[in-house]
Amino acid sequence: MGVLNVTPDSFSDGGLFVDPAEAVAHGLCLVAEGAGLVDVGGESTRPGAEPVSAKEELARVEPVLEALRGVPVSIDTAKAEVARRALELGAELVNDVTALRGDPALAEVVADGDAFLCLMHMQGEPRTMQAAPKYDDVLGDVLAFLEERLAFAVECGIQEERICIDPGIGFGKTPDQNLELLRRLDELLVLGRPVLVGVSRKSTLGRVLGDATATTGSVAASVAAAVAAFSRGASIVRAHDVRETVEALAVAAAVERGRITS
Ligand code: HH2
C-alpha cells in the first residue's frame, strides 16, 4: 500500500502533493514502483494534527481520485461523506484509523458499497494521543480492541472476509510499545484476518537510531521494519518509499520460499 497524502501537514511529506496534478503523478509512480494499492488521504493524523472538515477533505482528494480512476485505490478517511464519494469514484478499501468509532454513518457506507475495510487501533485521538499512552499489556489490549471492532463491523453488515486489521503503529503508543507490537505481531493472526502495518518513516525508527527528538525515520529504517513485520505475518505494508519496500519484501518472501518463484 503506497501512501499518497494530499495534505499540507502530513508528518513526513506534508505539502509535497497538495497540487492535484503532482498528487496524481505521484500516485501513478507508486503503482509503477509496485504498489498494489494507493492510499489517498486528505487529513493528517500525525500527533498534534488538527481535524479538517469533510468539505475541505473532499476538496483535497476528489480531483485526485477522479484522475486515478482505474488505479487500485484506498481512501484514508474516518468520514462517511468522504468515503461515499471515494467509493463512487472507484476506491476499493476504506482505511479508517478510528476503526468505525469516528463517524456513526461510516459502517453503512462501507457495507452498502461492498468495500474492503481496514480497522486500525488508536488510543485517544491525534491531537492528544502521544501525551501519555497507557496499557496493561499493549499487544493484549490492541488484540482485544481489534476483536471487538471486528465483531462490531460484522454486526453492521460488513463481510468479515473484506476486513483487515492494523495495530496502529504510532497512534497513542510510546516507541517501546510500538516495538513490542511489532515483535509480537504474529499474535494478531488469531483473529483470522490479514494484518496491515504502517511503520514507514515513523518517529520510533528515528528514536531507535539514537535521536531522542526524532519526528521521522529514514527509508532504510522503514524498510527494515517492513521486513520485520512481514516475517511476523503482516500481509499488507503501508509505505511511502514503495520501490525500496517492494524490493526488500520480494527478497524476504523469496527467502521464506527458498526459491525464486512460488
Ligand atoms: N499511519 C498513518 C496514516 N494512516 N493508516 C493505517 N491503516 N495504518 C497506519 O499506520 C497509518 C494510517 C500516518 O502516516 P502518514 O499518512 O504518512 O501521515 P499523516 O497522518 O501525517 O498524513
Side-chain angles (χ1 to χ4, degrees), residues 1 22-23 91-92 127 129 139 152 166 180 242 248 252 259:
M1 175 187 268
E22 279 171 26
E92 295 171 18
R127 227 164 21 86
M129 65 190 176
L139 193 285
F152 175 79
D166 180 342
E180 184 172 353
V242 168
R259 51 193 295 155

Side-chain angles (χ1 to χ4, degrees), residues 99 101 119 143-153 155 191:
R101 295 173 302 160
L119 294 172
L143 178 61
F145 170 89
L146 292 173
E147 185 171 23
E148 188 277 325
R149 290 287 86 197
L150 183 60
F152 175 79
E155 260 172 49
L191 296 182

Side-chain angles (χ1 to χ4, degrees), residues 1 3-7 9-14 39 41-47 49 76-77 93-97 118-121 126 129 164-171 196-202 238-240:
M1 175 187 268
V3 180
L4 181 53
N5 286 320
V6 195
T7 58
D9 58 344
S10 287
F11 79 96
S12 78
D13 55 2
D39 194 35
E43 175 176 37
S44 172
T45 49
R46 75 177 200 290
D76 190 351
T77 191
L93 180 145
V94 176
N95 176 20
D96 177 15
V97 297
C118 178
L119 294 172
M120 195 197 78
H121 176 273
M129 65 190 176
C164 64
I165 54 171
D166 180 342
I169 300 300
F171 286 86
L196 187 158
V197 170
V199 61
S200 179
R201 296 187 185 171
K202 286 186 179 171
R238 188 176 182 277
H240 299 82

